[in-house]
């Protein structure tokens, strides 16, 4: 009894230094500053480049130029981690899981500095392709987020893992919300001479520096809750009563052993079919989300909306509110519904909202569409939670980075395709890409429910 209490206390009362949330929050505020700064710097750059064009063609030229830039930028950013992500994660699983956090953050810090130099020294915008390559070769978001999810899974019990991972996503979203609200105002009102964006990008670099130093010197890797036999046995009994699984009750009980080995037996082999179906569902859903979100900033800059820096900041902030509503959704739904049911609810929420976005012509309709997407964040963290219940704790990093690499490859292909489609339908129906995203979202339900 005493052992169960002591081991349970490790999971419930984690030392503050094992919390990954300060890093997630800081890095996302920095990312929000950078993303807004990059978009507006690129827009201003092509405005100057095309300034001799007639006014009636200037907007279309700018849209296509910005779109072409992001096609190449996203290709480089998405493909370069393929060379290093798996190796860094494998090294992190063997040596120290902080490697998958610190190394990408160092890459972020250096690559973001190139945007500041571009603004101050008037370098050509193509420098940012090199920045994207540097970011990717140091692991990028692929390695960083896999490391964050692995640390979150290690510090949580199986029956609370979905909630634990969505709390991390909530932290990510709230930080993005605050960063987006501030970024547009900082870009307009705080700059050096005529170099708009200087203070915004410098602030991003400073926050990334804090995150790197915190991760390197303060952050501690949590112990695995599942390694305590008494705690695991207690978790098994609780998980039988939890609807938070797609398995039958007898399989659910067996699967709750997590990364521990029962006395006299090895760990249970994961169900390859379930893992494969979860991967397919995640890839299809990510295809839908990435396709829509990559086109959305261009859609907002174009008439009839024609948003400026402040409106873009508020629009991004509205997107980050989904993190709060998705967290509340998981908090309530996990008490009554299976994980698979929660995933389907999230997919339908996104699909309906993005379908409405296709027909947005006034600002208030944008916020209506965003409001309907209130549970759109639920699917991917819940899929990660389900995956973690079918693999050993020592393999969390590798499984999560394989999933993240699958999503990155999908995202790169989708981003390229959707940007090209968007360019070709500008004069016909600019919301067509959102309809395609709706279809892809609905298709992702099939492997999840199967």
């Amino acid at each position: 009894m005493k052992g169960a209490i002591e081991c349970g206390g490790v999971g419930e009362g984690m030392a503050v230094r094992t919390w990954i949330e300060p890093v997630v929050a800081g890095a996302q505020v920095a990312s929000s500053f950078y993303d807004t700064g990059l978009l507006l710097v690129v827009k201003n750059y092509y405005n100057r480049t095309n300034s001799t064009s007639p006014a009636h063609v200037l907007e279309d030229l700018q849209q296509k130029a910005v779109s072409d830039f992001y096609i190449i930028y996203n290709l480089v950013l998405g493909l370069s981690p393929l060379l290093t992500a798996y190796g860094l994660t494998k090294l992190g699983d063997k040596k120290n899981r902080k490697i998958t956090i610190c190394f990408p953050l160092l890459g972020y810090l250096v690559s973001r500095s190139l945007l500041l130099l571009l603004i101050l020294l008037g370098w050509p915008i193509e420098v940012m392709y090199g920045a994207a390559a540097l970011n990717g070769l140091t692991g990028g978001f692929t390695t960083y987020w896999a490391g964050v999810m692995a640390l979150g899974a290690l510090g949580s019990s199986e029956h609370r893992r979905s909630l634990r991972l969505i709390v991390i996503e909530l932290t990510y979203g709230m930080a993005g919300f605050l960063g987006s609200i501030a970024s547009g105002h900082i870009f307009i009102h705080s700059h050096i001479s005529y170099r708009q964006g200087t203070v915004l990008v410098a602030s991003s670099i400073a926050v990334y520096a804090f995150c790197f130093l915190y991760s390197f010197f303060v952050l501690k890797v949590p112990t695995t809750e599942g390694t305590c036999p008494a705690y695991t046995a207690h978790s098994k009994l609780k998980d039988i009563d939890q609807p938070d699984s797609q398995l039958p009750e007898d399989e659910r009980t067996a699967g709750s052993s997590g990364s521990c080995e029962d006395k006299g037996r090895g760990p249970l082999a994961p169900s390859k079919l379930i893992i494969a179906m979860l991967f397919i569902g995640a890839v299809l859903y990510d295809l839908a989300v990435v396709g829509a979100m990559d086109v959305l900033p261009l859609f907002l800059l174009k008439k009839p909306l024609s948003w400026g820096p402040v409106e873009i900041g508020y629009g991004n902030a509205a997107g980050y509110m989904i993190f709060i509503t998705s967290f509340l959704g998981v908090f309530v739904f996990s008490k009554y519904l299976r994980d698979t049911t929660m995933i389907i609810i999230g997919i339908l929420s996104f699909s309906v909202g993005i379908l409405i976005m296709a027909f947005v012509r006034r600002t208030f309709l944008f916020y209506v569409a965003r409001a309907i997407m209130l549970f759109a964040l639920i699917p991917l963290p819940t899929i990660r939670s389900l995956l973690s219940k079918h693999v050993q704790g020592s393999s969390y990093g590798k499984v999560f980075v394989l999933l993240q690499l699958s999503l990155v490859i999908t995202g790169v292909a989708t981003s390229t395709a959707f940007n090209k489609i968007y360019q070709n339908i500008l004069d016909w129906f600019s919301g067509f890409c959102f309809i395609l995203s709706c279809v892809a979202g609905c298709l992702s339900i099939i492997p999840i429910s199967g």
Side-chain angles (χ1 to χ4, degrees), residues 328-373:
L328 294 175
V330 170
F331 184 77
V332 174
F333 295 155
S334 61
K335 298 177 182 178
Y336 308 104
L337 302 175
R338 289 180 164 195
D339 279 356
T340 47
T341 307
M342 291 195 296
I343 293 169
I344 291 170
I345 290 172
I347 292 171
L348 290 174
S349 173
F350 171 80
S351 299
V352 174
I354 206 63
L355 180 62
I356 294 173
M357 190 70 75
F359 303 97
V360 166
R361 295 296 177 269
R362 299 179 65 182
T363 296
F364 83 92
L365 286 175
F366 167 85
Y367 290 104
V368 170
R370 274 302 200 186
I372 293 173
M373 296 184 204

Side-chain angles (χ1 to χ4, degrees), residues 26 31 73 77 99 123 207 351 357 365 375 424:
S31 179
Y73 182 84
L77 190 63
I99 291 172
W123 288 351
V207 180
S351 299
M357 190 70 75
L365 286 175
F375 297 132
N424 291 325

Side-chain angles (χ1 to χ4, degrees), residues 11 45 63 89-90 103 111 114 148 159-160 172 207 229 239 250 254 256 277 284 298 306 321 357 382 427:
Y45 178 85
Q63 286 271 299
T89 305
K90 193 172 181 179
F103 210 68
S111 63
L114 291 178
V148 168
H159 69 278
R160 297 187 62 189
Y172 176 95
V207 180
D239 285 352
D250 56 341
S256 295
M277 296 301 277
L284 284 172
L298 303 175
S306 300
M321 289 299 291
M357 190 70 75
T382 309
D427 298 325

Side-chain angles (χ1 to χ4, degrees), residues 146-435:
V148 168
M149 290 290 104
L151 289 184
L154 278 173
S156 61
S157 60
E158 289 190 3
H159 69 278
R160 297 187 62 189
R161 192 159 297 153
S162 293
L163 187 60
R164 172 68 180 132
L165 297 187
I166 201 71
V167 166
I168 294 175
E169 297 271 6
L170 173 65
T171 304
Y172 176 95
M174 287 301 297
F177 171 80
L178 296 174
S180 294
I181 286 288
S183 61
H185 293 284
I186 294 174
F187 185 89
I188 292 175
H189 300 297
S190 301
H191 54 86
I192 299 173
S193 184
Y194 60 93
R195 303 294 188 184
Q196 270 195 321
T198 307
V199 174
L200 184 63
V201 177
S203 299
S204 173
I205 294 168
V207 180
Y208 272 125
F210 163 78
C211 292
F212 172 74
L213 294 173
Y214 182 93
S215 300
F216 193 85
F217 293 108
V218 179
L219 183 67
K220 296 291 183 183
V221 178
T223 56
T224 309
E225 288 202 7
T227 57
C228 176
Y231 187 84
T232 303
H234 177 65
S235 295
K236 284 185 182 181
L237 294 175
K238 289 196 72 176
D239 285 352
I240 294 174
D241 297 326
Q242 290 287 334
D244 190 24
S245 174
Q246 68 173 22
L247 300 174
E249 185 167 298
D250 56 341
E251 291 183 11
R252 229 182 294 158
T253 308
S256 295
S257 56
S259 60
C260 290
E261 295 183 14
D262 293 332
K263 289 184 179 181
R265 294 190 300 169
L268 295 173
S271 169
K272 293 182 180 179
L273 177 61
I274 292 175
I275 291 174
M277 296 301 277
L278 289 172
F279 263 69
I280 293 170
V283 165
L284 284 172
Y285 184 66
D286 191 61
L287 185 154
V289 174
V290 170
M293 294 302 108
D294 273 8
V295 169
L296 186 59
L298 303 175
F299 181 78
L300 298 176
L301 292 173
K302 182 183 181 295
K303 291 181 180 178
L305 295 177
S306 300
W307 281 10
V310 174
E311 290 85 359
I312 288 173
Y314 282 118
N316 289 340
Y320 284 116
M321 289 299 291
I322 294 171
F323 287 83
I324 301 175
T325 53
S326 293
F327 163 74
L328 294 175
V330 170
F331 184 77
V332 174
F333 295 155
S334 61
K335 298 177 182 178
Y336 308 104
L337 302 175
R338 289 180 164 195
D339 279 356
T340 47
T341 307
M342 291 195 296
I343 293 169
I344 291 170
I345 290 172
I347 292 171
L348 290 174
S349 173
F350 171 80
S351 299
V352 174
I354 206 63
L355 180 62
I356 294 173
M357 190 70 75
F359 303 97
V360 166
R361 295 296 177 269
R362 299 179 65 182
T363 296
F364 83 92
L365 286 175
F366 167 85
Y367 290 104
V368 170
R370 274 302 200 186
I372 293 173
M373 296 184 204
L374 75 170
F375 297 132
L377 186 68
I378 291 177
L380 287 180
T382 309
I383 287 172
R384 289 189 182 97
S385 173
L386 277 174
L387 283 171
S388 72
K389 296 174 184 177
H390 293 285
V391 297
Q392 292 180 307
S394 60
S395 300
Y396 286 165
K398 284 180 283 189
V399 170
F400 286 150
V401 84
L402 285 174
L403 175 61
Q404 200 65 36
L405 284 172
S406 301
L407 300 182
V408 165
I409 294 170
T410 304
V412 168
T414 302
S415 175
T416 304
F418 271 65
N419 272 285
K420 284 297 183 184
I421 292 170
Y422 180 77
Q423 287 181 10
N424 291 325
I425 50 87
L426 270 175
D427 298 325
W428 174 57
F429 178 47
S430 57
F432 181 70
C433 289
F434 300 139
I435 296 177

Side-chain angles (χ1 to χ4, degrees), residues 41 45 48-49 113-128 194-196 198:
V41 166
Y45 178 85
R48 294 193 301 271
T49 303
S113 299
L114 291 178
L115 179 59
L116 180 61
L117 292 175
L118 183 151
I119 295 170
L120 293 175
L121 303 178
W123 288 351
I125 201 69
E126 289 76 15
V127 168
M128 297 314 299
Y194 60 93
R195 303 294 188 184
Q196 270 195 321
T198 307

Side-chain angles (χ1 to χ4, degrees), residues 77 81 84 88 100 104 108 134-145:
L77 190 63
T84 56
L88 285 171
T100 57
Y108 276 122
L134 177 62
N135 187 3
L137 290 173
T138 54
F141 186 79
T142 302
T143 304
Y144 165 73
W145 199 243

